[in-house]
Amino acid sequence: MHTKSSHRTHAAQLLLGAAFAALCVAPAAAQTAPASEPAAEEDGAIVVSGYRRSLEDAIDMKRNTIGFSDSIVATDIADFPEQNLSEALQRVPGVTIEREKGLGTRVNVRGLPTEFTFVSINKLATASGSGGRDVEFDIFASELIQSVTVQKSPTAADEEGGIAGSVLIRTARPFDNPGLRLVGSAEGAYNSISEKVDPSFSFLASKTFGDFGALISVAKQQRTNRTDSNSGINFRPIARWTDRTGTAYRNQAIAVLQRDAGITFTDAMKNKIVFLDKVGDRVYQNDQDRLGISGSLQYKPGDNFNLALDAFIGSYDTTEDEYDAAGYSASSNSTLETIHDFDAKTLSDSGIVVLRDVSYTNTQHEFLSKQYLTDTDYRQFSGEMNWKVGNLTVNALGGYSGAKRVLDYANLKHVAYAPSRTRYTETGGETIPSANPNTIDMYNAPSKYLFEAYETTREEIQDDKYAGQIDLSWDFGSSVFKRLNWGGRYTSKTNERQYGEEKIQGPTRGSTAYVNVRKLGDSPLTNVTDIVGGKDYQARNLSWSQISNDYARSFFRPAGFVTPYQNANYYKVKEDTVAGYAMLDLEFDVSFPIFVNLGGRYLRTSITSEGFHQIQNPNGTTGLTGTPISSTGRYEKFLPSFNAHAELTSSLYLRAAASKTLIRPALTDLAYKRTASFSSFRYTDGNPGLKPTLADQWEVGVEKYLGNDGGILAASYFWKKIKGVVQSRLTGEVPNVTVYNANGTINGVYDFDVYQPVNAEGSYDVSGVELNAVIPFGMFAKWADGFGINANATFLNSSLTGQSDLGVPTSPIGLADRTYNATVFYDKGPISLRVSYNRKGAYVERIERNMYPVYRNAYGQFDFAASYQLTRNFRVELQGINVGNAKTTGYTMDPSFPTTYEFSGSRITLGVRAQF
């Protein structure tokens, strides 16, 4: 049995081993710059270390790049309060993150969707097992990372795949810090809602032996995150009942609208009169168990030759328990009973009337105990050679990146039908008893809830990527023509998905003995906060009891039960790409030096995809083809690029860049499987013939470097024209398809329409401004040495409007037009202090039923970090995440119609670090 208790037992064993290792070598995080120490003097020069050193290193990387990029180095990542790599990246200009229940997960660059960003580790495209092209950064422990660069303007040598940009991750190697290096850490983290203390540790050992070096790094982390949420409130159009022509539900809804709201219904209003579809209170408990290991062997006899073998492996196992109590107003056998309050003014510009407070004739009340068990294993192995012979430099790279994710989901569902009243509150919504004598208190009526099903699903995704690359560079040694670079790359990607689902409705497989017989109260009930532990429910003053997932899994699953995979959901996509490039580095001197990189990249991609197709059997049942059906696609593209910067003075740089970039189609769109609607005479297929989505882009910027103090002031303007966005369209017809009735007789012979994802005509623009400032205050006054600020802001604009079928003006989904990051720091001597604020503006989260835009409110949180260097080798640290206990909120079209009200609490971490 796979439960969170087994996770904790395993983690406790590892923690004991970690504690022993930490005591042996003295704890500290896997970081490359020394821990914060007093600034020392060497030959009269001040040697800066700690956080200030990491900022200087990042600024140097930006300064020495010909295009637009921003970086964070290992000390920066290790020292920022964060729970995973995505949360460390939110400090980078132009980068925002997506949060799920208080945890950073995916990364957005310049406001574009996550799949628009290309991610690599040690120059290999990263597999994360997400099932798509986006990378779930929460699986990676930040302690294992040497540096991260967000590259926003590509060169011809860079692997294609990121319209938004590329996130380039690098792990540590022995010769990054020659000699013997031992680093380790141990810490405990307290969550303010779960009230649990979670352990984590990391350890790094590195040693160089003359020309050889070896490194091993391990990070082990347990995290318990609890989120309390009054959410899930959606607009539902009155068409739910008025479209049911000739029924009592339709007639009563129309009569109540006239009687209580004075609205004479017409068909034109069926999507303009809305009510609360579903109101729910939820408690989420997420237990994470993350293990990461990186290793490197390196041979470096001198500056002209380097050979490195790198490994990066790990696992990320999560158990998420979710306990829901919800009222579903729009049940199939319900309608309006009494309208207590309605709002015809707030959304009058869109012609929408909101029924704010309504009693319904037969609300569907649900108690749901859900559990998600997700196991992700990833691994990457690569080798890299760098060899310089005279004017020629040869770089060769080869490797494999793979991930496997298995999701086991279960949902124990009990349902009670009864009259209830659902209404908006100031922060969310609630379902309460109505005036109807048959009403119930949905939170305290266990005898009214009947068993419906124990629903299970299982999904397995296997993601494998192979790559080989060679790069050649010839140094001309002249004053204008500096270098000619050329090379090629081969990549092969395979993504395979298995999925299945099954309902359990009795004590044995196939039995329905429990349905509408077994009651909620027949199982042991426990207060939800007692099940998960910690504080009382935070979203509102409420308490209720449910069936624990541990009990549900042990009682409702037959012995040895495993959800079977189903061929209808299987697909496999294989993608092979050959690419070649050439580019030239130029340098001019026209009273100031100008550096230019000009090049082009040619690629050819072939796709083979397979999946099962739905068919209708002669007896009228729906079946599948006996074997998967395959199809192929192919495209070729040429991607030019231009990058340049001018050093107007020794501290003032002007940059410019222009290029054509692409993202490849989503794997689910390429998957060649078919679903059929035999009543609508329609097929829906995947399309391996899809072409990439392309972008023409340019950017200009100016950077002022603040002398030797490690500061910068930078501003840039960027513009992108994105074309070939994928949309579903009618693409063809299959003639003469025989359709059978349920009794096996022939219904008729029809021509079936075929709908597939295609590259749509037209384009849209995205533009924006990025501002970045790192200012050490010591440059203004000696007494302020050690103080400083690191801040950035991004402002976005887009010509794209969301696809609201009602024509409601809507920003692109996920696009926040303003983001801010600011860190005020003091870093001098043994003391290091930092307070950070991160804010992401409001954005459209989804368009409910393709009609009503649902927004996530602007969100900002404070984090802090403080450390004290006890000795040269030992440091104690205190960190806090979301110390202001910011809540996550959202709304449909206007804040007076809230949809989300979530609390994930704050996290306080105390740890000790050291290095030798």
Side-chain angles (χ1 to χ4, degrees):
M1 183 182 300
H2 189 168
T3 67
K4 60 183 178 183
S5 58
S6 64
H7 274 321
R8 290 196 177 281
T9 302
H10 178 60
Q13 296 169 345
L14 288 169
L15 179 62
L16 290 174
F20 178 77
L23 290 172
C24 291
V25 296
Q31 57 194 51
T32 58
S36 246
E37 304 170 9
E41 292 192 10
E42 295 181 3
D43 298 328
I46 299 295
V47 179
V48 179
S49 59
Y51 177 68
R52 284 196 293 164
R53 172 63 181 275
S54 73
L55 289 178
E56 290 185 8
D57 289 346
I59 291 171
D60 286 342
M61 293 173 69
K62 181 180 182 70
R63 187 171 190 165
N64 295 326
T65 301
I66 195 167
F68 289 87
S69 69
D70 290 282
S71 302
I72 48 178
V73 297
T75 304
D76 194 0
I77 297 172
D79 284 354
F80 260 127
E82 39 70 28
Q83 300 177 90
N84 53 56
L85 183 56
S86 69
E87 295 191 356
L89 282 170
Q90 69 182 316
R91 319 292 176 184
V92 176
V95 174
T96 58
I97 64 173
E98 295 181 5
R99 296 180 186 274
E100 292 291 338
K101 307 176 190 73
L103 291 173
T105 53
R106 296 175 174 86
V107 169
N108 304 100
V109 177
R110 291 181 164 169
L112 293 168
T114 57
E115 60 269 22
F116 280 35
T117 300
F118 175 79
V119 181
S120 68
I121 298 178
N122 296 332
K123 302 180 183 179
L124 291 180
T126 306
S128 75
S130 68
R133 299 194 186 273
D134 57 324
V135 172
E136 296 176 340
F137 283 82
D138 53 343
I139 73 174
F140 301 126
S142 61
E143 293 91 340
L144 301 182
I145 307 303
Q146 167 80 8
S147 66
V148 182
T149 295
V150 179
Q151 183 171 284
K152 301 164 185 176
S153 63
T155 68
D158 297 318
E159 186 174 0
E160 69 285 345
I163 283 179
S166 297
V167 176
L168 313 176
I169 301 169
R170 181 176 176 269
T171 59
R173 287 176 176 171
F175 281 94
D176 293 336
N177 291 275
L180 174 65
R181 183 172 175 78
L182 296 174
V183 183
S185 74
E187 65 181 31
Y190 171 81
N191 181 272
S192 65
I193 299 182
S194 69
E195 297 185 315
K196 295 179 180 179
V197 177
D198 299 313
S200 70
F201 81 93
S202 64
F203 171 70
L204 178 147
S206 177
K207 173 68 174 175
T208 56
F209 312 86
D211 297 338
F212 292 90
L215 178 147
I216 181 82
S217 182
V218 180
K220 173 68 177 165
Q221 182 188 69
Q222 242 181 282
R223 284 290 183 264
T224 303
N225 290 279
R226 187 182 129 191
T227 297
D228 294 353
S229 173
N230 174 234
S231 62
I233 308 157
N234 306 316
F235 279 1
R236 186 71 179 255
I238 204 71
R240 169 65 170 165
W241 297 304
T242 59
D243 273 0
R244 300 169 71 174
T245 306
T247 68
Y249 304 110
R250 166 187 166 86
N251 296 337
Q252 180 163 332
I254 292 172
V256 172
L257 283 171
Q258 178 66 54
R259 183 194 70 198
D260 295 342
I263 298 173
T264 301
F265 176 80
T266 65
D267 282 342
M269 303 171 68
K270 68 178 186 179
N271 292 320
K272 295 293 186 75
I273 301 172
V274 298
F275 60 95
L276 279 73
D277 183 9
K278 189 172 185 178
V279 177
D281 288 283
R282 298 170 175 83
V283 173
Y284 302 89
Q285 177 89 344
N286 187 285
D287 290 333
Q288 307 167 16
D289 195 349
R290 181 191 293 113
L291 174 65
I293 302 172
S294 71
S296 181
L297 298 175
Q298 194 172 7
Y299 173 61
K300 190 175 182 181
D303 293 337
N304 292 333
F305 187 83
N306 174 67
L307 179 64
L309 301 176
D310 301 307
F312 188 61
I313 61 176
S315 64
Y316 181 57
D317 301 335
T318 65
T319 299
E320 181 170 281
D321 294 307
E322 177 183 342
Y323 297 99
D324 291 8
Y328 181 44
S329 308
S331 68
S332 59
N333 56 5
S334 181
T335 190
L336 306 180
E337 186 171 72
T338 304
I339 300 172
H340 303 282
D341 186 27
F342 68 97
D343 183 343
K345 294 181 179 180
T346 304
L347 301 179
S348 59
D349 288 347
S350 300
I352 293 176
V353 177
V354 182
L355 308 183
R356 296 190 62 94
D357 184 352
V358 180
S359 291
Y360 300 91
T361 60
N362 210 25
T363 296
Q364 178 178 327
H365 308 87
E366 299 176 341
F367 266 36
L368 309 174
S369 297
K370 300 180 181 180
Q371 188 173 61
Y372 306 79
L373 302 179
T374 306
D375 295 341
T376 303
D377 295 304
Y378 63 89
R379 61 269 177 208
Q380 178 170 308
F381 306 98
S382 62
E384 183 178 9
M385 182 195 73
N386 315 107
W387 186 20
K388 184 175 182 180
V389 185
N391 290 359
L392 180 67
T393 300
V394 180
N395 298 315
L397 172 74
Y400 162 79
S401 177
K404 179 180 179 180
R405 187 183 73 170
V406 178
L407 170 63
D408 183 347
Y409 164 78
N411 176 24
L412 176 60
K413 185 175 182 179
H414 288 78
V415 176
Y417 288 93
S420 281
R421 179 177 177 180
T422 298
R423 62 189 180 187
Y424 279 107
T425 64
E426 183 178 348
T427 56
E430 62 181 359
T431 296
I432 60 175
S434 69
N436 190 306
N438 296 319
T439 191
I440 63 172
D441 176 359
M442 63 171 284
Y443 295 95
N444 188 27
S447 64
K448 300 295 184 181
Y449 285 83
L450 296 176
F451 174 91
E452 183 172 293
Y454 184 72
E455 303 167 340
T456 70
T457 68
R458 186 163 64 110
E459 179 182 49
E460 180 178 323
I461 294 172
Q462 180 70 49
D463 191 3
D464 298 295
K465 301 178 181 180
Y466 296 87
Q469 177 171 320
I470 186 165
D471 301 286
L472 303 172
S473 178
W474 181 266
D475 191 338
F476 293 108
S478 67
S479 58
V480 177
F481 295 96
K482 304 300 290 184
R483 279 172 299 278
L484 176 65
N485 308 280
W486 72 101
R489 185 182 184 99
Y490 170 75
T491 59
S492 179
K493 172 183 174 64
T494 302
N495 189 278
E496 187 172 11
R497 182 201 189 228
Q498 302 268 13
Y499 177 87
E501 56 187 41
E502 184 174 349
K503 288 184 178 180
I504 300 172
Q505 296 183 309
T508 59
R509 216 167 197 159
S511 169
T512 58
Y514 294 156
V515 178
N516 294 326
V517 175
R518 187 178 178 89
K519 298 178 180 179
L520 180 70
D522 292 337
S523 299
L525 299 176
T526 307
N527 188 285
V528 288
T529 55
D530 290 337
I531 296 174
V532 298
K535 293 182 176 178
D536 292 340
Y537 184 60
Q538 298 292 293
R540 59 196 187 108
N541 186 18
L542 182 67
S543 178
W544 75 96
S545 296
Q546 290 196 215
I547 301 170
S548 74
N549 281 319
D550 285 346
Y551 176 84
R553 182 170 283 267
S554 63
F555 182 87
F556 289 98
R557 285 198 178 215
F561 172 83
V562 176
T563 306
Y565 291 133
Q566 296 160 349
N567 286 341
N569 299 295
Y570 165 84
Y571 68 74
K572 182 177 181 180
V573 178
K574 189 173 188 298
E575 188 177 74
D576 294 327
T577 297
V578 176
Y581 76 92
M583 64 184 188
L584 186 63
D585 291 329
L586 305 169
E587 181 179 345
F588 305 93
D589 198 332
V590 289
S591 72
F592 51 82
I594 299 175
F595 300 88
V596 176
N597 173 272
L598 184 64
R601 185 176 186 87
Y602 167 82
L603 62 97
R604 184 180 71 236
T605 298
S606 58
I607 299 162
T608 302
S609 176
E610 65 178 33
F612 289 87
H613 285 205
Q614 275 191 343
I615 59 174
Q616 195 176 35
N617 299 315
N619 63 3
T621 61
T622 300
L624 297 170
T625 54
T627 58
I629 307 297
S630 65
S631 183
T632 61
R634 175 174 169 167
Y635 55 83
E636 301 178 23
K637 298 295 177 184
F638 178 71
L639 307 175
S641 63
F642 165 83
N643 290 273
H645 74 259
E647 298 181 6
L648 304 180
T649 70
S650 61
S651 62
L652 185 62
Y653 282 33
L654 180 67
R655 292 189 191 271
S659 62
K660 182 185 287 289
T661 61
L662 62 79
I663 58 165
R664 293 191 165 85
L667 297 169
T668 50
D669 290 332
L670 294 172
Y672 193 59
K673 62 187 186 74
R674 168 175 289 177
T675 57
S677 173
F678 293 101
S679 59
S680 301
F681 316 121
R682 172 174 173 166
Y683 290 133
T684 302
D685 295 357
N687 186 4
L690 279 171
K691 303 298 188 289
T693 297
L694 298 169
D696 297 324
Q697 60 184 26
W698 58 266
E699 183 168 2
V700 293
V702 62
E703 299 159 4
K704 173 65 176 177
Y705 295 89
L706 306 180
N708 297 319
D709 297 294
I712 185 176
L713 297 174
S716 67
Y717 174 83
F718 62 88
W719 175 89
K720 300 173 185 285
K721 180 180 284 293
I722 300 173
K723 49 193 174 183
V725 174
V726 175
Q727 296 179 351
S728 181
R729 298 282 175 82
L730 175 66
T731 59
E733 186 178 79
V734 177
N736 304 323
V737 178
T738 301
V739 176
Y740 296 89
N741 295 313
N743 59 8
T745 61
I746 294 178
N747 176 282
V749 178
Y750 302 92
D751 295 337
F752 272 49
D753 291 332
V754 178
Y755 284 80
Q756 291 178 288
V758 298
N759 299 99
E761 298 291 333
S763 63
Y764 68 94
D765 299 340
V766 174
S767 60
V769 173
E770 282 183 6
L771 305 175
N772 185 23
V774 178
I775 304 174
F777 295 158
M779 65 184 295
F780 304 113
K782 188 174 182 179
W783 63 264
D785 184 41
F787 288 96
I789 186 169
N790 176 14
N792 60 75
T794 304
F795 306 91
L796 297 171
N797 185 39
S798 173
S799 66
L800 180 69
T801 58
Q803 302 301 309
S804 170
D805 290 348
L806 294 181
V808 178
T810 307
S811 299
I813 292 175
L815 182 65
D817 57 1
R818 288 177 176 83
T819 59
Y820 308 92
N821 287 286
T823 297
V824 178
F825 62 86
Y826 174 78
D827 194 54
K828 186 178 181 181
I831 299 174
S832 181
L833 301 170
R834 292 187 302 284
V835 176
S836 302
Y837 180 72
N838 172 265
R839 183 176 178 84
K840 181 177 182 179
Y843 62 93
V844 177
E845 191 173 22
R846 67 183 185 278
I847 301 178
E848 183 68 27
R849 306 184 187 278
N850 296 322
M851 290 184 284
Y852 316 108
V854 178
Y855 287 81
R856 181 69 63 94
N857 263 320
Y859 177 87
Q861 73 176 43
F862 283 96
D863 306 325
F864 77 85
S867 67
Y868 185 81
Q869 197 75 29
L870 298 172
T871 69
R872 180 178 178 85
N873 303 110
F874 292 87
R875 179 172 52 166
V876 62
E877 293 185 330
L878 179 67
Q879 298 182 346
I881 296 175
N882 190 23
V883 292
N885 198 25
K887 57 186 175 294
T888 300
T889 59
Y891 58 89
T892 304
M893 298 183 67
D894 186 88
S896 62
F897 308 115
T899 60
T900 304
Y901 192 63
E902 288 186 353
F903 289 83
S904 296
S906 57
R907 179 173 293 276
I908 306 297
T909 301
L910 179 64
V912 59
R913 303 184 179 213
Q915 58 187 17
F916 296 88

